[in-house]
Amino acid sequence: MNNETSKFKVAEKFISINGEAKRAGELSVFIRFTGCNLRCNYCDTLWACDKDAPGEYMTAEEIYEYIRESGVKNVTLTGGEPLLQKDIKSLLKLLEKDESLRVEIETNGAVPLEEYYREFKEGISFTVDYKCPGSGMEKTMHLPDFEEIRACDTVKFVVSDMADLDKMRYIIDRYSLCSKCTVYVSAVFGRIRPDEIVDYMIKNKMNDVRLQLQIHKYIWDPDKRGV
């Protein structure tokens, strides 16, 4: 690869706890990339979504070296939308070689993942969003992602209201998600109370669905970066 194609635009990199998904509460080293193909109306990283957002250009080797020097096993690649980065597979292949790492890609549900499922082993896992109607982006969802999703992956529903909860339940049932992977539901911060979600789960007997809170928004200011 030449210098142009081998560099990735990184909005920020930092070490913190994982705020959500399977390894919530565990230390993780975060690499946040710039650029996103969606504009969810509740986005909490809108500042990083434009491809021209400020950031630094790093090679795959420089990113790996930063991760290795951190001494942290969990790696979270996020954005924006990390899978929009040109040559992202080269970075994933480099990280996959280090079997001490557990790499999670947070992806927005609008990017086809079938080839990634087949190409990468369980050391590279995906947390796949389903953008419910309240996001304003539901029409962009790539539903075949849920056909082949693996046991090591996660589906995450971020809900704003009861209509979102109803759509979540429909998608879970349609694709038998709870029998395939781990499924989480999380509140859009400030729009719906977590206890309302719990009441809905009880009413609808939603076994194997896990409520999650965005831990980092309770530890620090909800708008704080780098945490």
Side-chain angles (χ1 to χ4, degrees):
M1 292 186 297
N2 60 40
N3 288 337
E4 181 181 354
T5 60
S6 63
K7 290 194 174 183
F8 304 88
K9 194 172 183 184
V10 176
E12 61 177 353
K13 58 187 189 298
F14 57 93
I15 300 166
S16 185
I17 58 150
N18 219 324
E20 49 195 359
K22 285 184 180 180
R23 299 202 174 275
E26 295 185 15
L27 286 178
S28 188
V29 53
F30 288 80
I31 308 294
R32 184 183 304 283
F33 298 99
T34 63
C36 187
N37 54 335
L38 303 186
R39 290 296 183 273
C40 299
N41 57 33
Y42 52 70
C43 181
D44 56 7
T45 54
L46 192 60
W47 60 273
C49 286
D50 194 280
K51 66 180 181 179
D52 296 324
E56 62 177 310
Y57 287 93
M58 300 178 69
T59 65
E61 291 76 15
E62 287 169 339
I63 292 172
Y64 173 61
E65 185 64 15
Y66 172 77
I67 292 168
R68 190 186 66 79
E69 290 182 351
S70 76
V72 176
K73 292 181 179 180
N74 295 325
V75 179
T76 303
L77 304 182
T78 188
E81 172 49 59
L83 296 181
L84 295 182
Q85 292 288 314
K86 190 175 182 181
D87 297 321
I88 190 66
K89 284 187 179 181
S90 66
L91 173 60
L92 298 182
K93 288 175 181 177
L94 177 60
L95 298 180
E96 188 178 40
K97 290 178 182 178
D98 189 334
E99 295 183 356
S100 71
L101 299 178
R102 297 178 295 222
V103 181
E104 173 197 9
I105 298 98
E106 293 184 337
T107 184
N108 63 22
V111 177
L113 298 178
E114 296 90 335
E115 63 180 295
Y116 291 93
Y117 294 154
R118 292 189 289 269
E119 192 165 342
F120 294 97
K121 299 175 184 177
E122 292 187 0
I124 304 286
S125 65
F126 294 86
T127 294
V128 188
D129 281 3
Y130 183 86
K131 303 300 185 186
C132 292
S135 71
M137 291 287 114
E138 187 185 24
K139 66 182 181 298
T140 67
M141 292 296 91
H142 184 72
L143 294 175
D145 286 348
F146 301 125
E147 297 282 4
E148 299 182 39
I149 197 162
R150 307 165 301 166
C152 64
D153 299 318
T154 298
V155 176
K156 181 181 70 176
F157 296 86
V158 181
V159 298
S160 300
D161 51 31
M162 290 298 153
D164 281 0
L165 286 166
D166 286 341
K167 178 50 72 77
M168 174 191 73
R169 185 160 59 96
Y170 170 78
I171 293 295
I172 289 171
D173 291 345
R174 178 181 175 184
Y175 293 97
S176 302
L177 290 177
C178 289
S179 67
K180 295 177 180 177
C181 64
T182 306
V183 178
Y184 288 91
V185 56
S186 180
V188 175
F189 197 81
R191 286 196 190 174
I192 186 172
R193 300 193 316 272
D195 65 296
E196 294 179 274
I197 299 175
V198 175
D199 288 343
Y200 185 93
M201 293 169 67
I202 293 170
K203 178 181 177 181
N204 292 282
K205 304 297 186 287
M206 301 197 71
N207 295 301
D208 301 317
V209 175
R210 304 180 186 187
L211 173 69
Q212 67 172 17
L213 303 177
Q214 293 178 294
I215 299 173
H216 54 290
K217 291 189 176 181
Y218 291 86
I219 299 174
W220 297 282
D221 184 288
D223 296 321
K224 185 177 176 61
R225 298 184 188 180
V227 294

